[in-house]
Amino acid sequence: MKMTTALIVAASALALAGPLHAKTIDVPAGNNAQSRLQEALITAQPGDVVQLGAGRFALSDGLSLDAGGVTVRGAGMDATVLDFSAQKGAGEGLLVTASDVTLRDFAVENTHGDGIKSKGANNVIYYRIRVTWTGGPKETNGAYGIYPVSSSNVLIDGCKVSGASDAGIYVGQSVAITVRYNYVEQSVAGIEIENSRDALVTGNLVTRNTGGILVFDLPNLPVMGGGNTLIEGNMVIDNDTPNFAPKGNIVASVPRGTGIMVMANDGVTVLGNTLANHGTAQVMVVAYPKAFTDARYNPYPRNIALGYNTYVGGGDAPGFPGGAQLAKAFGGTLPPVIWDGLGGPKALLPSADVKVLNLNLPAQGAGVDQAKPALLSFTAPPMIAVPGNVGAPARLEERIVR
Amino acid sequence: MKWLAASALLFAASAVAAAGGGTRTNDDAIVGDGFAPVLSAYGFFSDAQAQRPAAGVTPYRLQTPLWSDGAEKQRFVYVPGGKQARSRGAGLLDLPVGSALIKSFRFGGRLIETRVLLHRAGGWIALPYLWNADQSEARLVLAGARVDLTTPAGAAISYAVPNKNQCKECHGAAGQVVPIGPKARNLSAEWLAAFKRAGKLDAVPAVARRVPLWEDRAAVPVADAARGYLDANCAHCHNPDGAASNSGLTLTWEETDPVKLGVGKRPVAAGRGSGDLQFDVVPGDPDHSILAYRMASLEGGISMPELGRASLDPAGQAIIRGWIAGMR
């Protein structure tokens, strides 16, 4: 009986959300865009589509959407542009605080704060969205381009971000996440998964950032214990932009020329990626390096598995203190993978075909000056664990038609 | 849009009825569906221009208020006839369905906006009303508005009347709209006693530690004044259920964990709001504390609070800097 009721409820929910009740609210570009668009976002009901016309929308304040089940759709990421160059209010360009929202086919340019933020917004989709700071990498650019936080079920697909002064795509304190087929460039971090679980990062092109893909866990946050994440089949190329993040932020400590960096997570697998020309490290696996007082927090990497990846060049310009001398000691080029040596025997599980430099730091928080670097050697190739149940639920894909 | 127009007609009719009946508050406008297009539809005032409340609408003040570019604010609470608010300890008064909170903002004597919070059966809703030039009526501005004006301190600003969603950004707790101001700890014992005597409150709440009067800030311990200021100006977002919950920075009056209050806490998603500084609060060193840095900024992406401040609050800055400077 229970099953039947559930089915009926599901069926009626579908009917309610169906096209009979849903309407399209057309918002063309032009004069008075701020209030026309904001009013459409406020009056939209679940199932409605807010259809943005082609052209530039000159906006003076951040926009917000607090209605669940709404789709905001433009005429294409190059055709519909929300232009925040003259933004007066602080904060992000668009803030989403309701669930089941689909954002697709429009661009956000030159926000003072983050580009698009969704908080506590479950089942959110960012599809073919572009977020650009048009002046290139600058410290005065907003921090995050695409910024879902404190959410379950996040799908970010086919988006393009350029110029974020922190991370182009940042997913924080969330669970069940897919970040795929995106192009992120000229940001400090390309893609960052922070204090999150069950993430799938795949098929992305991440290039000319300071660091390519970061998987971090930080202390003193409501949600901690990041892990069970798969970084698979990404092109991580030439991330050599000098770090332009405002100091104090954790990404400000990411050295230029970092491909994939995993910090203080449990169960991250890096597999089938192409990593090219990262002067510091193609892959870096480390403990959280700073002092902290949070008893709930585990600063160490655990079960970080490195499967087969393609490494091209790199290791020739380590961007951390003492890096140059270290490279010299290894004949001018560091191995593709650097591990700080912390986290115990199960911290790092590399495949046998990759050279790993173990810095052998004596303790969490120690500097590179205390390293006793040595090449890691293997007695037998370990099994590579591939985390299960990663990514956003498949049902989210029904909301985007290719 | 049709339904909005229809409700506009309905409310216009009720407004006339209310006006004809003198100064009675229109309960239907508070609890009914839709949004009244004009403030007069509610009948909260017998003389709106003078902000003279109708019968049953009670003015109140907060011990330490939110600072809004120096606006002169007038606050009112309405509890419908036959109902009572319930005491809930030192926290928010539990106002019954049908209640309303009304806050008007003036600059240079001129009414700019009136915000209302209406307690409906489905929960609270927050609506902004913008006053017209001749001060005869305020109309609903769902999408917000901007007004050029000069603050009492002489700053020419583009003052932002919040849109309906922005109301919720501050008034949101775990996704629901809630009042912020009328917490028993931020109301005077005298006012609470009078509210009870009027039959509007079931009991005078016990408050162990009351937020000090802002005017008394020089006479009370600086930590109390500072924590009262943070509670009123920051904690509506910086609390575990608020818009800034993900920051891990909790600035409520009750918080006791120094790290959650920012001491030795590194920024998480602050971006350039960090100002190249390492910690939210560095004891003894306001110049290296992000909290003080963001209060001293007017730049989007840096300044805090994100909403509702377009000029500097020197008195607030002085208290927060004094609090940090005195920390060991």
Side-chain angles (χ1 to χ4, degrees), chain A residues 137-231:
Chain A
K138 272 197 253 173
E139 185 172 323
T140 50
N141 292 348
Y144 302 136
I146 290 174
Y147 176 17
V149 66
S150 311
S151 302
S152 297
N153 309 335
V154 175
L155 174 58
I156 302 170
D157 182 328
C159 298
K160 187 175 172 185
V161 182
S162 179
S165 71
D166 197 302
I169 295 174
Y170 171 99
V171 184
Q173 302 181 57
S174 294
V175 67
I177 301 143
T178 296
V179 180
R180 69 182 183 197
Y181 317 146
N182 303 289
Y183 174 26
V184 189
E185 57 159 15
Q186 297 196 81
S187 300
V188 175
I191 296 168
E192 183 172 358
I193 308 293
E194 193 168 274
N195 292 51
S196 292
R197 293 190 67 80
D198 308 341
L200 170 64
V201 179
T202 190
N204 301 284
L205 171 58
V206 185
T207 184
R208 297 187 60 212
N209 307 285
T210 302
I213 299 173
L214 315 182
V215 185
F216 284 7
D217 202 55
L218 301 179
N220 300 124
L221 289 176
V223 177
M224 296 186 295
N228 197 58
T229 284
L230 178 59
I231 311 293

Side-chain angles (χ1 to χ4, degrees), chain B residues 111-189:
Chain B
L111 284 162
I112 302 297
E113 59 160 327
T114 295
R115 305 176 187 173
V116 302
L117 273 170
L118 312 174
H119 197 178
R120 295 183 167 174
W124 290 89
I125 67 162
L127 298 172
Y129 290 84
L130 178 71
W131 282 90
N132 61 10
D134 66 8
Q135 305 276 280
S136 59
E137 182 61 285
R139 73 181 167 81
L140 178 65
V141 282
L142 278 184
R146 279 193 173 269
V147 181
D148 290 330
L149 54 78
T150 303
T151 69
I157 62 169
S158 170
Y159 177 87
V161 177
N163 68 50
K164 180 170 177 282
N165 288 351
Q166 289 171 324
C167 293
K168 188 178 168 186
E169 281 176 42
C170 293
H171 281 276
Q176 301 299 311
V177 172
V178 294
I180 300 170
K183 299 178 176 97
R185 63 169 183 259
N186 203 11
L187 295 162
S188 73

Side-chain angles (χ1 to χ4, degrees), chain A residues 119-143:
Chain A
K119 175 165 187 279
N122 299 333
N123 309 313
V124 67
I125 298 175
Y126 294 81
Y127 182 54
R128 300 194 300 214
I129 292 288
R130 177 170 65 82
V131 178
T132 309
W133 283 271
T134 57
K138 272 197 253 173
E139 185 172 323
T140 50
N141 292 348

Side-chain angles (χ1 to χ4, degrees), chain A residues 201-271:
Chain A
V201 179
T202 190
N204 301 284
L205 171 58
V206 185
T207 184
R208 297 187 60 212
N209 307 285
T210 302
I213 299 173
L214 315 182
V215 185
F216 284 7
D217 202 55
L218 301 179
N220 300 124
L221 289 176
V223 177
M224 296 186 295
N228 197 58
T229 284
L230 178 59
I231 311 293
E232 183 179 22
N234 300 283
M235 298 289 283
V236 186
I237 313 292
D238 289 318
N239 288 288
D240 57 2
T241 296
N243 196 317
F244 61 100
K247 291 178 200 66
N249 294 287
I250 188 76
V251 297
S253 59
V254 173
R256 170 189 187 184
T258 300
I260 295 173
M261 182 167 173
V262 180
M263 183 169 78
N265 264 250
D266 186 5
V268 178
T269 293
V270 178
L271 179 67

Side-chain angles (χ1 to χ4, degrees), chain A residues 35 38 42 61 64 66 88-89 95 112 119 139-140 143-144 147 150 173 220-222 246-249 288 290 293, chain B residues 142-143 146 158 163 165 168-169 242-243 245-247 259 265-272 274 276-277 300-301 306:
Chain A
S35 58
Q38 184 57 68
I42 288 172
D61 279 290
S64 56
D66 189 43
K88 289 176 187 156
L95 173 66
H112 288 190
K119 175 165 187 279
E139 185 172 323
T140 50
Y144 302 136
Y147 176 17
S150 311
Q173 302 181 57
N220 300 124
L221 289 176
K247 291 178 200 66
N249 294 287
Y288 177 70
K290 306 195 187 265
T293 53
Chain B
L142 278 184
R146 279 193 173 269
S158 170
N163 68 50
N165 288 351
K168 188 178 168 186
E169 281 176 42
S245 62
N246 57 300
S247 69
V259 178
K265 185 181 182 306
R266 294 176 186 278
V268 181
R272 64 208 180 95
S274 74
D276 288 348
L277 303 174
E306 278 191 353

Side-chain angles (χ1 to χ4, degrees), chain B residues 24-81:
Chain B
R24 292 275 299 278
T25 296
N26 178 1
D27 288 332
D28 293 343
I30 297 173
V31 297
D33 290 335
F35 313 134
V38 290
L39 183 66
S40 60
Y42 299 102
F44 289 136
F45 299 103
S46 61
D47 179 349
Q49 208 166 334
Q51 292 285 291
R52 192 170 300 128
V57 176
T58 309
Y60 69 99
R61 69 151 292 175
L62 299 174
Q63 296 283 97
T64 293
L66 170 70
W67 188 83
S68 306
D69 290 317
E72 180 199 336
K73 299 184 190 177
Q74 287 162 289
R75 297 175 179 80
F76 306 90
V77 54
Y78 171 74
V79 176

Side-chain angles (χ1 to χ4, degrees), chain B residues 188-199:
Chain B
S188 73
E190 296 72 21
W191 185 90
L192 288 163
F195 204 45
K196 178 179 183 296
R197 276 199 306 278

